Amino acid sequence: MHSEPVDLSAWRVRALDFERQLNAVLVGMPRTVRLMTIAVFARGHVLLEGDVGVGKTTLLKAVARGIGGAYQRIEGTVDLMPGDLVYHTYVGDDGRPRVEPGPLIAQGSELAVFFFNEINRARPQVHALLLRLMAERTVSAFNREYTLPWMQVFADRNRVEREETFELPSAARDRFLMEVSVEAPDARDQLRGLMFDTRFHDADALISSVEPGMLDHTRLNDVAQSIQDTVQSSPALDDYGVDLWLATRQPAQYGVQLSDVDIDQFILSGASPRGVAMLARAARVQAWLEGRDRLVPEDLHAVFFEAIAHRLCLNPVYETQRPLYARPFVTEVLRQVASP
């Protein structure tokens, strides 16, 4: 770990340059890029969701290049087993079986970004290993414990194809700082560029435009802690945050209503204590990126949906239609709870 002091002003300049370079790679996705930048400096794991071909992998490769350190990727498949993350076996040239370190431990402690593609195609046993990895940043293999102090997990889920998939349990989803939806832009000029500008047809060339290692993965934990220590709240904002939390648990008491929904039966459990702590953590990074050392309600609003919606446990009647209800519910919570 580094002991030298953190110059947050200089790091903010670097963070905004990182964000600018990502926006040059991902056309028409400024909000998605801001959320990813927040996640990097909050040191939280991210689950991405989107259609095929909208740029999720390009975004993650660009983020990994800017962070620096080692990058590993694994594909979620129905036959993937937990051991496949920590070792792989093969037959050597001499015909004898060999065992080599897998993607999680191949680079030792230098692993900075671990990308789990199509995580919902992997079995629950794999999710369980990932759960521990995300919580503790350690993994056991070859009779020893590997520590991955810089590792950040990014996973994506294909929301179109549902055959042979295994949805993440609530405990696993709660480990993600945010769930971020990646959508293709809808502005006509941006769509024209994506279709006809050949610059966007070569993803590798776009990714190579990002300055490699510009954030220095070995400093990010220290920078993140400094942000959390520096950006302050206030008693009024604390009360507001608690009211938002309680409104996710007892929506009827806060006047939250949705059409065609029995609000008393809608929520099984609201945001978890871990979830609202992560909300505050992400909000502090948002405030810092905006050049402030004090939280305002808009900082909570900026990350509220992505930090909270996936943590809500809905009644099974409504769970099957979560995409239809989640955003209106969160929007209504923010509307009904008076901000200071």
Side-chain angles (χ1 to χ4, degrees):
M1 295 291 182
H2 293 259
S3 58
E4 62 260 34
V6 175
D7 183 345
L8 281 184
S9 295
W11 269 97
R12 178 173 175 269
V13 171
R14 196 180 301 186
L16 293 177
D17 189 33
F18 172 73
E19 185 177 45
R20 179 189 60 78
Q21 292 190 37
L22 291 184
N23 274 316
V25 173
L26 279 298
V27 64
M29 298 186 186
R31 175 164 171 76
T32 299
V33 167
R34 168 53 63 99
L35 291 169
M36 293 294 281
T37 304
I38 289 172
V40 167
F41 284 93
R43 308 308 297 137
H45 311 296
V46 178
L47 179 62
L48 296 173
E49 184 174 74
D51 297 335
V52 175
V54 294
K56 298 187 297 295
T57 301
T58 300
L59 171 61
L60 288 177
K61 286 185 175 180
V63 168
R65 182 176 172 88
I67 290 174
Y71 165 82
Q72 285 287 340
R73 169 177 173 163
I74 197 164
E75 303 296 323
T77 61
V78 69
D79 58 349
L80 186 72
M81 298 302 292
D84 297 328
L85 275 64
V86 292
Y87 63 84
H88 71 269
T89 59
Y90 65 98
V91 177
D93 294 338
D94 57 2
R96 305 176 72 175
R98 303 289 175 86
V99 180
E100 296 287 346
L104 279 181
I105 60 176
Q107 272 90 18
S109 63
E110 279 299 299
L111 181 62
V113 172
F114 182 66
F115 174 30
F116 202 125
N117 191 38
E118 297 209 68
I119 189 172
N120 56 331
R121 292 201 182 280
R123 293 178 177 275
Q125 300 96 312
V126 179
H127 297 162
L129 174 62
L130 191 70
L131 187 69
R132 178 193 167 181
L133 176 71
M134 293 165 64
E136 304 175 9
R137 288 187 168 88
T138 63
V139 64
S140 299
F142 300 104
N143 297 316
R144 58 168 288 196
E145 190 94 345
Y146 288 82
T147 301
L148 310 169
W150 326 118
M151 185 210 62
Q152 194 168 8
V153 172
F154 295 95
D156 82 348
R157 178 175 58 201
N158 185 339
R159 67 184 176 198
V160 177
E161 298 175 359
R162 296 296 188 182
E163 297 80 11
E164 293 188 332
T165 61
F166 304 86
E167 287 307 316
L168 291 172
S170 296
R173 295 179 73 170
D174 196 51
R175 295 290 182 183
F176 286 98
L177 170 71
M178 290 188 284
E179 281 195 15
V180 178
S181 179
V182 181
E183 308 283 353
D186 52 15
R188 193 172 182 85
D189 60 333
Q190 294 171 343
L191 293 174
R192 184 184 295 112
L194 287 173
M195 186 172 183
F196 293 106
D197 187 342
T198 56
R199 182 169 66 94
F200 295 110
H201 299 173
D202 188 343
D204 290 338
L206 281 172
I207 294 164
S208 68
S209 69
V210 176
E211 180 185 342
M214 63 182 297
L215 295 185
D216 183 359
H217 66 288
T218 67
R219 296 300 319 277
L220 286 174
N221 289 350
D222 293 338
V223 175
Q225 188 58 53
S226 184
I227 293 169
Q228 298 302 312
D229 292 341
T230 300
V231 178
Q232 301 299 308
S233 183
S234 66
L237 193 96
D238 291 350
D239 286 339
Y240 176 59
V242 171
D243 281 333
L244 289 175
W245 182 10
L246 291 175
T248 70
R249 300 167 63 184
Q250 304 155 357
Q253 294 185 21
Y254 284 83
V256 177
Q257 297 291 334
L258 292 177
S259 61
D260 303 322
V261 168
D262 181 352
I263 202 68
D264 291 318
Q265 302 297 320
F266 182 65
I267 292 286
L268 290 182
S269 64
S272 65
R274 179 193 294 119
V276 291
M278 288 186 174
L279 168 67
R281 187 173 183 86
R284 284 193 173 96
V285 178
Q286 165 68 9
W288 171 69
L289 289 171
E290 292 296 319
R292 287 182 274 100
D293 61 4
R294 186 163 292 276
L295 283 173
V296 297
E298 289 73 19
D299 297 322
L300 293 171
H301 300 168
V303 295
F304 192 78
F305 178 80
E306 286 77 13
I308 295 299
H310 66 286
R311 305 178 194 279
L312 304 175
C313 292
L314 308 185
N315 186 301
V317 173
Y318 302 109
E319 181 64 42
T320 56
Q321 295 180 297
R322 172 180 286 268
L324 180 65
Y325 293 116
R327 189 171 290 277
F329 175 76
V330 167
T331 300
E332 185 70 1
V333 167
L334 292 175
R335 191 174 75 85
Q336 290 293 342
V337 178
S339 62

